[in-house]
Amino acid sequence: MHTFEFIRPTDPGSAIAVAAQSKTAQQGADVRFMGGGTTLIDLMKLNVETPDRVLDINRLPLDKIEATPDGGLKIGATVRNSDLAHHPKVQKDYLVLSQAILNGASAQIRNMATVGGNLLQRTRCVYFRDTAMSCNKREPGSGCPAITGHNRTLAILGTSEHCIATNPSDMCVAMAALEATIHVQIPKGSRAIPFGDFHLLPGNTPHRETVLEPGDLITHVTLPPPIVGSKQLYLKLRDRASYEFALASAAIVLTITDGKITRARVALGGVGTKPWRSPEAERALTGQTANEATFHQAAEAALRGAEPQSENRFKIELAKRCLTHALRTVVIT
Ligand SMILES: Cc1cc2nc3c(=O)[nH]c(=O)nc-3n(C[C@H](O)[C@H](O)[C@H](O)COP(=O)(O)OP(=O)(O)OC[C@H]3O[C@@H](n4cnc5c(N)ncnc54)[C@H](O)[C@@H]3O)c2cc1C
Ligand code: SF4
């Protein structure tokens, strides 16, 4: 493994000042923050990530879950995935988030993994993780062997001719449906990024995955006040029952009054190059009677733009069934 300097800052300002010296905050960064290390150290062992300096942010005061004045929730960047999933307020008001997290990885990994790290976890595309292969995301301009190669688990929405890698996070799918905001401290101030604007589509720059710049430290995520009476569900379909990434998943937050859907938030996982909020499905649901015909129309709308590759056409039908089943289930619970 590449040698590196390990730094344990105790205040955000000094951590940000060091990170700001990096030439990029994207692939190839020479300074990296470390939360749980379950993505970063993994990729450093594979030589996919080769930072010269690693800043362990676990001593920074970013590990609290607190109510916000407007009735929402503020979640610190180093809050462990397990702690978030089991927090009473999350289980009561943001159930879809708890379910999504508990559907991911293993108990041991969730105990280590942080909220900030989960937002920035990298694709599981096998070519990205193998430095013997070319990959536009790892080495811009080198090519994308996945398009003609092994692409069964890769994306069908938001792809480009340069990259079809799936965003693998479960937590992020729920956060997209909950309309979270990501808060970043930057060398001079701070900024709040709506969840849907945080991850980038691959386009012709798949090595750029988020809007983060050198020195940008995610400090916390906020959730808006809970929607009173909303029904929530995360459904994940995968090759085996645990310890496996999604082939297709759906996060649903639905409000139903007198049999009619008055508010719908829908996001899909396992199928998009970023956590995939579906305004098309939301439009197809809103104002309609909560029945099978409506659910099927929403699923058709959500997958209308899908572009499958040689091995992953099955994901279109799988994602439609995932969404319809999630909607059916959430309505009767
Ligand atoms: C075997 C295995 C199975 C898994 N299965 C699943 C699964 O089914 N579903 C799922 O969703 N996930 C799964 N994961 C991924 C897991 O959820 C992530 O590895 C984890 O969430 C990353 O969090 P971390 O704190 O360990 O990140 P780290 O490895 O510490 O960091 C990841 C990235 O985020 C950056 N970073 C971290 N914190 C900050 C911050 N505050 N500000 C700016 N940058 C920051 C780091 O520099 C790094 O680039 C799996 C992982 C493994 C190893
Ligand atoms: S899909 Fe993306 S990550 Fe995978 S090989 Fe192609 S460019 Fe690399």
Side-chain angles (χ1 to χ4, degrees):
M1 185 159 96
H2 180 78
T3 57
F4 63 95
E5 185 185 359
F6 191 65
I7 306 169
R8 306 191 79 191
T10 51
D11 74 283
S14 66
I16 290 166
V18 175
Q21 294 166 21
S22 185
K23 60 179 185 294
T24 174
Q26 306 293 329
Q27 178 62 29
D30 40 358
V31 185
R32 281 282 189 212
F33 296 120
M34 190 193 83
T38 62
T39 286
L40 182 65
I41 302 297
D42 205 16
L43 292 177
M44 286 172 70
K45 287 193 225 163
L46 297 171
N47 281 322
V48 172
E49 289 268 18
T50 55
D52 298 324
R53 283 179 285 180
V54 172
L55 291 155
D56 176 356
I57 59 170
N58 289 290
R59 291 182 179 185
L60 305 184
L62 305 174
D63 60 348
K64 300 274 186 298
I65 302 176
E66 299 160 300
T68 57
D70 67 354
L73 205 62
K74 175 181 176 185
I75 306 159
T78 60
V79 167
R80 305 289 148 180
N81 285 187
S82 301
D83 292 336
L84 181 58
H86 293 295
H87 192 277
K89 179 120 174 99
V90 175
Q91 292 193 326
K92 178 172 168 284
D93 293 331
Y94 306 99
L95 183 62
V96 66
L97 180 58
S98 177
Q99 291 175 336
I101 293 171
L102 293 177
N103 266 284
S106 64
Q108 291 85 349
I109 291 169
R110 294 193 297 268
N111 286 342
M112 285 299 292
T114 62
V115 168
N118 199 328
L119 292 170
L120 293 169
Q121 67 168 286
R122 312 295 302 278
T123 184
R124 310 305 287 195
C125 173
V126 291
Y127 303 102
F128 172 71
R129 293 171 64 84
D130 183 350
T131 56
M133 305 301 295
S134 52
C135 166
N136 284 331
K137 189 182 276 300
R138 192 168 22 76
E139 282 178 42
S142 63
C144 175
I147 288 174
T148 51
H150 296 296
N151 51 47
R152 178 177 176 273
T153 60
L154 298 186
I156 53 174
L157 290 165
T159 57
S160 77
E161 60 182 306
H162 303 286
C163 182
I164 56 169
T166 322
N167 182 296
S169 174
D170 292 299
M171 182 195 81
C172 287
V173 184
M175 285 195 175
L178 289 169
E179 301 181 307
T181 302
I182 298 170
H183 299 262
V184 175
Q185 199 170 326
I186 59 177
K188 285 185 184 145
S190 60
R191 60 194 169 119
I193 307 163
F195 199 87
D197 296 341
F198 182 74
H199 296 94
L200 300 174
L201 292 174
N204 57 10
T205 53
H207 59 288
R208 288 193 60 80
E209 295 180 349
T210 67
V211 294
L212 292 183
E213 297 291 341
D216 287 359
L217 172 71
I218 299 170
T219 52
H220 59 282
V221 174
T222 51
L223 300 179
I227 306 298
V228 178
S230 67
K231 291 168 170 274
Q232 305 184 14
L233 184 76
Y234 187 72
L235 177 65
K236 176 174 178 179
L237 305 181
R238 46 190 157 171
D239 279 329
R240 57 182 177 195
S242 77
Y243 207 32
E244 186 57 275
F245 292 89
L247 288 170
S249 71
I252 316 277
V253 183
L254 223 59
T255 312
I256 303 174
T257 312
D258 299 332
K260 280 232 174 346
I261 300 166
T262 50
R263 184 182 185 277
R265 296 292 179 270
V266 175
L268 302 175
V271 288
T273 50
K274 60 185 259 186
W276 200 260
R277 173 105 178 253
S278 178
E280 297 85 356
E282 292 171 6
R283 276 195 295 274
L285 292 166
T286 308
Q288 302 301 316
T289 305
N291 61 21
E292 281 294 311
T294 302
F295 305 155
H296 283 286
Q297 274 162 19
E300 288 299 327
L303 275 299
R304 195 158 289 137
E307 291 188 23
Q309 307 296 330
S310 55
E311 296 179 343
N312 66 6
R313 180 171 291 277
F314 76 98
K315 279 194 175 191
I316 298 179
E317 187 58 27
L318 190 72
K320 283 183 193 171
R321 291 187 190 194
C322 181
L323 181 51
T324 353
H325 192 66
L327 288 164
R328 192 181 296 133
T329 309
V330 84
V331 165
I332 57 171
T333 49

Short mmCIF file of all heavy atoms in Angstrom, two decimals, residues 31-42 49 57 62 77-78 80-81 100 103-106 109 112-122 124 168-171 212 216-219 236 238 243-246, ligand 1:
data_model
loop_
_atom_site.label_atom_id
_atom_site.label_comp_id
_atom_site.label_asym_id
_atom_site.label_seq_id
_atom_site.Cartn_x
_atom_site.Cartn_y
_atom_site.Cartn_z
N VAL A 31 -5.12 14.61 -0.40
CA VAL A 31 -5.47 14.67 1.02
C VAL A 31 -6.91 14.15 1.13
O VAL A 31 -7.77 14.53 0.33
CB VAL A 31 -5.42 16.11 1.58
CG1 VAL A 31 -5.67 16.09 3.08
CG2 VAL A 31 -4.09 16.77 1.26
N ARG A 32 -7.14 13.27 2.09
CA ARG A 32 -8.49 12.74 2.29
C ARG A 32 -8.87 12.80 3.76
O ARG A 32 -8.06 12.52 4.63
CB ARG A 32 -8.55 11.26 1.88
CG ARG A 32 -8.66 11.00 0.40
CD ARG A 32 -10.05 11.23 -0.11
NE ARG A 32 -10.23 10.78 -1.49
CZ ARG A 32 -11.05 11.36 -2.34
NH1 ARG A 32 -11.78 12.41 -1.99
NH2 ARG A 32 -11.19 10.90 -3.55
N PHE A 33 -10.13 13.17 4.02
CA PHE A 33 -10.69 12.99 5.35
C PHE A 33 -11.00 11.51 5.53
O PHE A 33 -11.29 10.81 4.55
CB PHE A 33 -12.01 13.76 5.49
CG PHE A 33 -11.88 15.25 5.38
CD1 PHE A 33 -12.54 15.96 4.38
CD2 PHE A 33 -11.08 15.96 6.28
CE1 PHE A 33 -12.44 17.34 4.28
CE2 PHE A 33 -10.97 17.35 6.18
CZ PHE A 33 -11.63 18.03 5.17
N MET A 34 -10.98 11.04 6.76
CA MET A 34 -11.38 9.66 7.03
C MET A 34 -12.42 9.61 8.14
O MET A 34 -12.21 10.15 9.21
CB MET A 34 -10.18 8.81 7.45
CG MET A 34 -10.51 7.32 7.51
SD MET A 34 -9.24 6.36 8.35
CE MET A 34 -9.71 6.61 10.06
N GLY A 35 -13.58 9.01 7.84
CA GLY A 35 -14.60 8.78 8.87
C GLY A 35 -14.37 7.40 9.46
O GLY A 35 -13.48 7.19 10.28
N GLY A 36 -15.17 6.43 9.03
CA GLY A 36 -14.98 5.06 9.50
C GLY A 36 -13.87 4.33 8.75
O GLY A 36 -13.38 3.30 9.20
N GLY A 37 -13.54 4.83 7.59
CA GLY A 37 -12.47 4.22 6.79
C GLY A 37 -12.91 2.98 6.00
O GLY A 37 -12.11 2.36 5.31
N THR A 38 -14.20 2.63 6.06
CA THR A 38 -14.62 1.37 5.42
C THR A 38 -14.66 1.43 3.89
O THR A 38 -14.65 0.41 3.22
CB THR A 38 -16.02 0.92 5.93
OG1 THR A 38 -16.98 1.92 5.57
CG2 THR A 38 -16.02 0.71 7.43
N THR A 39 -14.69 2.63 3.35
CA THR A 39 -14.50 2.80 1.89
C THR A 39 -13.06 3.20 1.62
O THR A 39 -12.37 2.59 0.78
CB THR A 39 -15.45 3.89 1.34
OG1 THR A 39 -16.78 3.37 1.30
CG2 THR A 39 -15.06 4.30 -0.07
N LEU A 40 -12.59 4.21 2.32
CA LEU A 40 -11.28 4.79 2.00
C LEU A 40 -10.13 3.78 2.16
O LEU A 40 -9.33 3.60 1.23
CB LEU A 40 -11.02 6.03 2.88
CG LEU A 40 -9.71 6.74 2.61
CD1 LEU A 40 -9.69 7.35 1.21
CD2 LEU A 40 -9.43 7.82 3.65
N ILE A 41 -10.06 3.13 3.31
CA ILE A 41 -8.93 2.22 3.55
C ILE A 41 -9.01 1.02 2.60
O ILE A 41 -8.00 0.55 2.08
CB ILE A 41 -8.90 1.76 5.03
CG1 ILE A 41 -8.82 2.98 5.96
CG2 ILE A 41 -7.76 0.79 5.29
CD1 ILE A 41 -7.56 3.82 5.84
N ASP A 42 -10.23 0.58 2.35
CA ASP A 42 -10.47 -0.50 1.38
C ASP A 42 -9.83 -0.13 0.03
O ASP A 42 -9.06 -0.91 -0.56
CB ASP A 42 -12.00 -0.60 1.23
CG ASP A 42 -12.49 -1.95 0.80
OD1 ASP A 42 -11.70 -2.90 0.88
OD2 ASP A 42 -13.66 -2.04 0.37
N GLU A 49 -7.17 4.50 -4.31
CA GLU A 49 -6.98 5.79 -3.63
C GLU A 49 -5.54 5.82 -3.11
O GLU A 49 -5.10 4.86 -2.46
CB GLU A 49 -7.93 5.93 -2.44
CG GLU A 49 -9.38 6.11 -2.81
CD GLU A 49 -9.78 7.58 -2.92
OE1 GLU A 49 -8.89 8.46 -3.04
OE2 GLU A 49 -10.99 7.85 -2.89
N ILE A 57 -11.06 12.36 11.05
CA ILE A 57 -11.93 13.44 11.58
C ILE A 57 -12.74 13.00 12.80
O ILE A 57 -13.65 13.70 13.24
CB ILE A 57 -12.88 13.98 10.49
CG1 ILE A 57 -13.76 12.86 9.93
CG2 ILE A 57 -12.09 14.66 9.38
CD1 ILE A 57 -14.87 13.37 9.02
N LEU A 62 -18.42 16.39 15.67
CA LEU A 62 -19.42 16.24 14.61
C LEU A 62 -20.25 14.98 14.81
O LEU A 62 -20.77 14.40 13.85
CB LEU A 62 -18.72 16.16 13.24
CG LEU A 62 -17.77 17.30 12.85
CD1 LEU A 62 -17.07 16.98 11.54
CD2 LEU A 62 -18.54 18.61 12.73
N ALA A 77 -21.69 14.67 10.91
CA ALA A 77 -21.04 13.88 9.85
C ALA A 77 -20.36 12.62 10.36
O ALA A 77 -20.20 11.66 9.62
CB ALA A 77 -20.02 14.75 9.11
N THR A 78 -19.95 12.61 11.65
CA THR A 78 -19.28 11.40 12.13
C THR A 78 -20.22 10.50 12.95
O THR A 78 -19.76 9.55 13.59
CB THR A 78 -18.01 11.72 12.96
OG1 THR A 78 -18.39 12.52 14.08
CG2 THR A 78 -16.98 12.46 12.13
N ARG A 80 -22.29 7.49 13.59
CA ARG A 80 -22.19 6.14 12.98
C ARG A 80 -23.52 5.74 12.36
O ARG A 80 -24.59 6.06 12.88
CB ARG A 80 -21.80 5.10 14.04
CG ARG A 80 -20.54 5.43 14.80
CD ARG A 80 -19.30 5.29 13.95
NE ARG A 80 -18.31 6.27 14.39
CZ ARG A 80 -17.10 6.41 13.86
NH1 ARG A 80 -16.72 5.68 12.83
NH2 ARG A 80 -16.26 7.31 14.29
N ASN A 81 -23.47 5.02 11.29
CA ASN A 81 -24.68 4.56 10.61
C ASN A 81 -25.60 3.81 11.58
O ASN A 81 -26.82 3.99 11.56
CB ASN A 81 -24.33 3.66 9.42
CG ASN A 81 -23.79 4.44 8.22
OD1 ASN A 81 -23.58 3.89 7.16
ND2 ASN A 81 -23.55 5.74 8.38
N ALA A 100 -33.39 1.93 5.45
CA ALA A 100 -32.37 1.92 4.39
C ALA A 100 -31.00 1.58 4.97
O ALA A 100 -30.26 0.75 4.42
CB ALA A 100 -32.34 3.27 3.68
N ASN A 103 -30.57 -1.99 6.00
CA ASN A 103 -30.51 -2.90 4.85
C ASN A 103 -29.13 -2.92 4.21
O ASN A 103 -28.88 -3.66 3.27
CB ASN A 103 -31.53 -2.50 3.79
CG ASN A 103 -32.84 -3.24 3.95
OD1 ASN A 103 -32.93 -4.41 3.61
ND2 ASN A 103 -33.83 -2.57 4.50
N GLY A 104 -28.21 -2.07 4.69
CA GLY A 104 -26.89 -1.97 4.05
C GLY A 104 -25.80 -2.69 4.81
O GLY A 104 -25.86 -2.79 6.04
N ALA A 105 -24.82 -3.19 4.08
CA ALA A 105 -23.58 -3.72 4.65
C ALA A 105 -23.85 -4.76 5.75
O ALA A 105 -24.75 -5.58 5.63
CB ALA A 105 -22.72 -2.56 5.16
N SER A 106 -23.06 -4.72 6.82
CA SER A 106 -23.21 -5.66 7.94
C SER A 106 -23.24 -4.83 9.22
O SER A 106 -22.86 -3.65 9.22
CB SER A 106 -22.02 -6.61 7.99
OG SER A 106 -20.85 -5.86 8.26
N ILE A 109 -19.85 -3.24 9.89
CA ILE A 109 -19.52 -2.08 9.03
C ILE A 109 -20.38 -0.88 9.41
O ILE A 109 -19.89 0.24 9.50
CB ILE A 109 -19.69 -2.46 7.54
CG1 ILE A 109 -18.60 -3.46 7.16
CG2 ILE A 109 -19.59 -1.22 6.64
CD1 ILE A 109 -18.79 -4.10 5.81
N MET A 112 -19.00 1.11 12.20
CA MET A 112 -17.83 1.94 11.86
C MET A 112 -18.21 3.10 10.94
O MET A 112 -17.73 4.22 11.10
CB MET A 112 -16.78 1.10 11.12
CG MET A 112 -15.98 0.15 11.99
SD MET A 112 -15.06 1.01 13.26
CE MET A 112 -13.84 1.90 12.29
N ALA A 113 -19.06 2.82 9.96
CA ALA A 113 -19.34 3.78 8.88
C ALA A 113 -20.02 5.04 9.41
O ALA A 113 -20.88 4.97 10.28
CB ALA A 113 -20.23 3.12 7.84
N THR A 114 -19.62 6.18 8.87
CA THR A 114 -20.18 7.46 9.28
C THR A 114 -21.14 8.00 8.21
O THR A 114 -21.12 7.55 7.06
CB THR A 114 -19.06 8.49 9.47
OG1 THR A 114 -18.39 8.68 8.21
CG2 THR A 114 -18.06 8.05 10.53
N VAL A 115 -21.91 8.99 8.62
CA VAL A 115 -22.86 9.61 7.68
C VAL A 115 -22.10 10.29 6.53
O VAL A 115 -22.42 10.10 5.35
CB VAL A 115 -23.75 10.62 8.43
CG1 VAL A 115 -24.54 11.48 7.48
CG2 VAL A 115 -24.69 9.86 9.37
N GLY A 116 -21.05 11.06 6.86
CA GLY A 116 -20.27 11.74 5.82
C GLY A 116 -19.64 10.74 4.86
O GLY A 116 -19.67 10.94 3.63
N GLY A 117 -19.09 9.67 5.39
CA GLY A 117 -18.45 8.66 4.54
C GLY A 117 -19.45 7.94 3.66
O GLY A 117 -19.17 7.65 2.49
N ASN A 118 -20.64 7.69 4.20
CA ASN A 118 -21.66 7.00 3.40
C ASN A 118 -22.10 7.87 2.23
O ASN A 118 -22.31 7.38 1.11
CB ASN A 118 -22.86 6.64 4.29
CG ASN A 118 -23.72 5.57 3.66
OD1 ASN A 118 -23.84 5.50 2.45
ND2 ASN A 118 -24.34 4.73 4.48
N LEU A 119 -22.19 9.18 2.44
CA LEU A 119 -22.56 10.09 1.34
C LEU A 119 -21.56 10.00 0.20
O LEU A 119 -21.88 10.27 -0.95
CB LEU A 119 -22.59 11.53 1.85
CG LEU A 119 -23.70 11.91 2.83
CD1 LEU A 119 -23.43 13.29 3.40
CD2 LEU A 119 -25.06 11.88 2.14
N LEU A 120 -20.30 9.66 0.55
CA LEU A 120 -19.22 9.69 -0.44
C LEU A 120 -18.68 8.31 -0.76
O LEU A 120 -17.58 8.18 -1.30
CB LEU A 120 -18.08 10.57 0.09
CG LEU A 120 -18.45 12.05 0.21
CD1 LEU A 120 -17.39 12.80 0.99
CD2 LEU A 120 -18.62 12.66 -1.16
N GLN A 121 -19.45 7.26 -0.42
CA GLN A 121 -18.94 5.93 -0.76
C GLN A 121 -18.85 5.79 -2.27
O GLN A 121 -19.58 6.43 -3.02
CB GLN A 121 -19.78 4.82 -0.13
CG GLN A 121 -21.19 4.69 -0.64
CD GLN A 121 -21.83 3.39 -0.16
OE1 GLN A 121 -21.49 2.31 -0.64
NE2 GLN A 121 -22.74 3.48 0.79
N ARG A 122 -17.92 4.95 -2.74
CA ARG A 122 -17.62 4.87 -4.17
C ARG A 122 -18.32 3.65 -4.80
O ARG A 122 -18.72 2.72 -4.11
CB ARG A 122 -16.09 4.75 -4.37
CG ARG A 122 -15.25 5.74 -3.59
CD ARG A 122 -15.47 7.19 -4.00
NE ARG A 122 -15.20 7.45 -5.39
CZ ARG A 122 -13.97 7.66 -5.90
NH1 ARG A 122 -12.91 7.63 -5.10
NH2 ARG A 122 -13.80 7.92 -7.18
N ARG A 124 -19.10 0.16 -6.75
CA ARG A 124 -18.51 -1.18 -6.63
C ARG A 124 -18.17 -1.75 -8.01
O ARG A 124 -17.87 -2.94 -8.12
CB ARG A 124 -19.48 -2.12 -5.93
CG ARG A 124 -20.04 -1.61 -4.64
CD ARG A 124 -19.03 -1.21 -3.62
NE ARG A 124 -18.32 -2.30 -2.97
CZ ARG A 124 -17.61 -2.16 -1.86
NH1 ARG A 124 -17.53 -0.99 -1.27
NH2 ARG A 124 -16.96 -3.19 -1.34
N PRO A 168 -23.79 3.07 -5.01
CA PRO A 168 -24.22 1.88 -4.24
C PRO A 168 -24.93 2.16 -2.92
O PRO A 168 -25.36 1.24 -2.25
CB PRO A 168 -22.89 1.18 -3.96
CG PRO A 168 -21.89 2.29 -3.88
CD PRO A 168 -22.38 3.40 -4.78
N SER A 169 -25.06 3.41 -2.52
CA SER A 169 -25.54 3.70 -1.15
C SER A 169 -27.04 3.43 -0.98
O SER A 169 -27.85 3.81 -1.82
CB SER A 169 -25.26 5.16 -0.80
OG SER A 169 -25.85 5.48 0.45
N ASP A 170 -27.39 2.82 0.14
CA ASP A 170 -28.80 2.70 0.54
C ASP A 170 -29.23 3.96 1.30
O ASP A 170 -30.30 4.50 1.03
CB ASP A 170 -28.99 1.47 1.45
CG ASP A 170 -28.79 0.17 0.69
OD1 ASP A 170 -29.55 -0.07 -0.26
OD2 ASP A 170 -27.86 -0.59 1.03
N MET A 171 -28.38 4.40 2.24
CA MET A 171 -28.74 5.58 3.05
C MET A 171 -29.10 6.78 2.17
O MET A 171 -30.05 7.52 2.45
CB MET A 171 -27.55 5.94 3.95
CG MET A 171 -27.81 7.12 4.87
SD MET A 171 -26.30 7.79 5.60
CE MET A 171 -25.69 8.82 4.27
N LEU A 212 -18.12 18.74 -4.29
CA LEU A 212 -17.13 19.13 -3.28
C LEU A 212 -15.82 19.62 -3.91
O LEU A 212 -15.38 19.11 -4.93
CB LEU A 212 -16.81 17.95 -2.36
CG LEU A 212 -17.95 17.50 -1.43
CD1 LEU A 212 -17.48 16.38 -0.52
CD2 LEU A 212 -18.51 18.66 -0.62
N ASP A 216 -13.38 21.15 1.47
CA ASP A 216 -14.79 21.06 1.88
C ASP A 216 -14.99 19.91 2.84
O ASP A 216 -14.78 18.74 2.48
CB ASP A 216 -15.70 20.85 0.66
CG ASP A 216 -15.84 22.09 -0.21
OD1 ASP A 216 -15.24 23.13 0.15
OD2 ASP A 216 -16.55 22.01 -1.23
N LEU A 217 -15.42 20.23 4.05
CA LEU A 217 -15.68 19.21 5.07
C LEU A 217 -17.19 19.12 5.29
O LEU A 217 -17.83 20.13 5.64
CB LEU A 217 -14.98 19.61 6.38
CG LEU A 217 -15.31 18.75 7.61
CD1 LEU A 217 -14.68 17.36 7.49
CD2 LEU A 217 -14.81 19.43 8.89
N ILE A 218 -17.75 17.96 5.10
CA ILE A 218 -19.17 17.78 5.44
C ILE A 218 -19.25 17.80 6.96
O ILE A 218 -18.58 17.00 7.63
CB ILE A 218 -19.72 16.44 4.90
CG1 ILE A 218 -19.63 16.39 3.38
CG2 ILE A 218 -21.17 16.22 5.35
CD1 ILE A 218 -19.92 15.03 2.77
N THR A 219 -20.04 18.71 7.50
CA THR A 219 -20.16 18.80 8.96
C THR A 219 -21.43 18.12 9.46
O THR A 219 -21.43 17.48 10.50
CB THR A 219 -20.18 20.27 9.43
OG1 THR A 219 -21.19 20.96 8.69
CG2 THR A 219 -18.81 20.93 9.23
N LYS A 236 -35.48 -3.18 -0.58
CA LYS A 236 -34.20 -3.44 -1.28
C LYS A 236 -34.23 -4.86 -1.85
O LYS A 236 -34.47 -5.82 -1.11
CB LYS A 236 -33.06 -3.27 -0.29
CG LYS A 236 -31.68 -3.60 -0.84
CD LYS A 236 -30.60 -3.27 0.18
CE LYS A 236 -29.21 -3.62 -0.33
NZ LYS A 236 -28.14 -3.28 0.64
N ARG A 238 -31.89 -7.73 -3.84
CA ARG A 238 -30.47 -8.01 -4.04
C ARG A 238 -30.27 -9.50 -4.24
O ARG A 238 -31.19 -10.29 -4.05
CB ARG A 238 -29.68 -7.52 -2.83
CG ARG A 238 -30.32 -7.91 -1.51
CD ARG A 238 -29.67 -7.24 -0.32
NE ARG A 238 -30.59 -7.18 0.80
CZ ARG A 238 -30.27 -6.81 2.03
NH1 ARG A 238 -29.04 -6.43 2.29
NH2 ARG A 238 -31.14 -6.79 2.99
N TYR A 243 -25.80 -8.39 3.51
CA TYR A 243 -24.40 -8.15 3.16
C TYR A 243 -24.22 -8.09 1.64
O TYR A 243 -23.30 -8.66 1.09
CB TYR A 243 -23.56 -9.27 3.77
CG TYR A 243 -22.14 -8.90 4.07
CD1 TYR A 243 -21.79 -7.61 4.43
CD2 TYR A 243 -21.12 -9.85 3.98
CE1 TYR A 243 -20.48 -7.27 4.69
CE2 TYR A 243 -19.80 -9.52 4.24
CZ TYR A 243 -19.49 -8.23 4.60
OH TYR A 243 -18.20 -7.90 4.86
N GLU A 244 -25.15 -7.42 0.99
CA GLU A 244 -25.09 -7.33 -0.48
C GLU A 244 -25.69 -6.00 -0.92
O GLU A 244 -26.62 -5.49 -0.30
CB GLU A 244 -25.87 -8.51 -1.08
CG GLU A 244 -25.78 -8.63 -2.58
CD GLU A 244 -24.34 -8.73 -3.10
OE1 GLU A 244 -23.73 -7.65 -3.28
OE2 GLU A 244 -23.85 -9.84 -3.31
N PHE A 245 -25.14 -5.44 -1.98
CA PHE A 245 -25.63 -4.17 -2.51
C PHE A 245 -26.93 -4.38 -3.28
O PHE A 245 -27.22 -5.48 -3.75
CB PHE A 245 -24.56 -3.53 -3.41
CG PHE A 245 -23.35 -3.10 -2.62
CD1 PHE A 245 -22.29 -3.97 -2.41
CD2 PHE A 245 -23.29 -1.83 -2.06
CE1 PHE A 245 -21.19 -3.58 -1.66
CE2 PHE A 245 -22.20 -1.44 -1.30
CZ PHE A 245 -21.14 -2.32 -1.11
N ALA A 246 -27.67 -3.29 -3.47
CA ALA A 246 -28.98 -3.38 -4.13
C ALA A 246 -28.83 -3.61 -5.63
O ALA A 246 -27.98 -2.99 -6.28
CB ALA A 246 -29.75 -2.08 -3.89
C1 LIG B 1 -18.17 -5.39 2.47
C2 LIG B 1 -18.96 -4.13 2.38
C3 LIG B 1 -20.34 -4.18 2.12
C4 LIG B 1 -21.06 -3.00 2.04
N1 LIG B 1 -22.41 -3.06 1.76
C5 LIG B 1 -23.13 -1.90 1.65
C6 LIG B 1 -24.51 -1.92 1.34
O1 LIG B 1 -25.13 -2.97 1.17
N2 LIG B 1 -25.16 -0.73 1.23
C7 LIG B 1 -24.51 0.46 1.44
O2 LIG B 1 -25.14 1.51 1.33
N3 LIG B 1 -23.20 0.51 1.73
C8 LIG B 1 -22.51 -0.64 1.83
N4 LIG B 1 -21.18 -0.59 2.10
C9 LIG B 1 -20.51 0.70 2.09
C10 LIG B 1 -20.50 1.38 3.42
O3 LIG B 1 -21.79 1.86 3.71
C11 LIG B 1 -19.50 2.53 3.28
O4 LIG B 1 -18.21 1.97 3.17
C12 LIG B 1 -19.57 3.47 4.45
O5 LIG B 1 -20.82 4.06 4.57
C13 LIG B 1 -18.51 4.57 4.29
O6 LIG B 1 -18.46 5.30 5.49
P1 LIG B 1 -17.06 5.55 6.20
O7 LIG B 1 -17.31 6.49 7.31
O8 LIG B 1 -16.38 4.27 6.56
O9 LIG B 1 -16.30 6.28 5.01
P2 LIG B 1 -14.75 6.55 4.82
O10 LIG B 1 -14.13 5.34 4.20
O11 LIG B 1 -14.14 7.06 6.05
O12 LIG B 1 -14.81 7.73 3.76
C14 LIG B 1 -15.38 7.56 2.48
C15 LIG B 1 -15.09 8.83 1.66
O13 LIG B 1 -15.72 9.94 2.26
C16 LIG B 1 -14.79 10.97 2.56
N5 LIG B 1 -15.28 11.59 3.80
C17 LIG B 1 -15.65 10.94 4.93
N6 LIG B 1 -16.16 11.81 5.81
C18 LIG B 1 -16.14 13.04 5.22
C19 LIG B 1 -16.55 14.34 5.63
N7 LIG B 1 -17.10 14.58 6.80
N8 LIG B 1 -16.38 15.37 4.76
C20 LIG B 1 -15.81 15.18 3.53
N9 LIG B 1 -15.39 13.97 3.12
C21 LIG B 1 -15.57 12.91 3.94
C22 LIG B 1 -13.46 10.27 2.68
O14 LIG B 1 -12.40 11.15 2.38
C23 LIG B 1 -13.60 9.18 1.63
O15 LIG B 1 -13.30 9.68 0.35
C24 LIG B 1 -20.42 -1.76 2.23
C25 LIG B 1 -19.06 -1.69 2.52
C26 LIG B 1 -18.33 -2.86 2.59
C27 LIG B 1 -16.86 -2.79 2.90
#
